[in-house]
Amino acid sequence: MGGWMKSNPIPAEYPSWGTFTQLADKNQQNLRLILDDAVNAKAAAGSNERKISDFYASCMDTAATDAAGTKPLEPELARIAEIKSVADLQAEAERLQSRSVGALFRFGSNQDAKDSTRVIGGAFQGGLGLPEREYYLKADDKSKQLRETYTKHVAKMFELLGDPRTSRQPKRPQF
């Protein structure tokens, strides 16, 4: 192995480490410097540099984000709560798709696996929280534990959204 693993231990904040991870990390550092420079430049209003600076500053304003809480999500959550039929679900999926949200599925372009000179369209599932179908179906102990942990995580997310524990019974639309 030439000593790479001994000379390059995996940092605690990463699940793996290698030259591409180092490259990505260095790229993130450089992007951060560019954004910091844009903020400090005090560019003219309307300029691209000012737009970048303002956007970055708004993203970094954690006090405003914390104060807003889930308020920005309320209109979307209300729309979801109004879904009562297949037609409602289709209409909402269409609305989200038109806004580039991959609800239920998403489309994109991919390199053709059988002919690398071509780019082809691809359709992908969307809406599952776990990476693959098998995570929901496997019956082994590890998979059962993972689903239990995932269920607790989702419940905690609803709790953080302000849903009381008593309202967690699924309200399935009658299709």
Side-chain angles (χ1 to χ4, degrees):
M1 292 275 164
W4 164 260
M5 292 177 72
K6 190 176 283 186
S7 300
N8 295 280
I10 299 173
E13 64 271 21
Y14 291 96
S16 63
W17 190 250
T19 55
F20 284 107
T21 313
Q22 289 176 322
L23 181 63
D25 198 44
K26 182 67 175 165
N27 187 47
Q28 289 296 313
Q29 290 171 20
N30 288 335
L31 289 171
R32 173 72 187 261
L33 290 172
I34 291 167
L35 291 168
D36 287 341
D37 288 347
V39 168
N40 294 326
K42 308 283 190 240
S47 69
N48 286 339
E49 191 171 44
R50 179 65 176 268
K51 290 175 188 176
I52 291 168
S53 171
D54 289 348
F55 179 69
Y56 178 63
S58 71
C59 292
M60 298 306 289
D61 188 353
T62 56
T65 302
D66 290 346
T70 60
K71 192 151 186 71
L73 295 175
E74 288 174 7
E76 294 300 323
L77 295 173
R79 289 184 72 91
I80 292 167
E82 291 300 314
I83 296 172
K84 305 285 189 236
S85 67
V86 171
D88 293 346
L89 178 62
Q90 289 171 332
E92 183 59 14
E94 179 183 336
R95 188 186 76 80
L96 290 169
Q97 287 284 340
S98 73
R99 288 160 175 79
S100 299
V101 176
L104 306 178
F105 57 88
R106 64 182 172 85
F107 292 104
S109 58
N110 293 338
Q111 203 71 41
D112 186 341
K114 296 178 181 175
D115 181 355
S116 63
T117 65
R118 296 176 4 143
V119 175
I120 59 173
F124 309 93
Q125 68 83 26
L128 296 178
L130 297 173
E132 296 177 6
R133 175 180 179 269
E134 285 70 31
Y135 281 84
Y136 296 93
L137 302 176
K138 285 185 180 177
D140 61 279
D141 289 340
K142 183 178 178 182
S143 296
K144 288 178 183 177
Q145 176 62 39
L146 182 113
R147 283 192 299 272
E148 183 179 321
T149 302
Y150 180 66
T151 301
K152 288 177 183 176
H153 165 73
V154 171
K156 183 64 174 178
M157 294 298 102
F158 279 115
E159 187 178 318
L160 292 171
L161 279 169
D163 273 4
R165 287 191 137 272
T166 56
S167 73
R168 294 241 179 86
Q169 295 303 316
K171 295 176 185 150
R172 295 193 174 110
Q174 299 300 312
F175 295 135

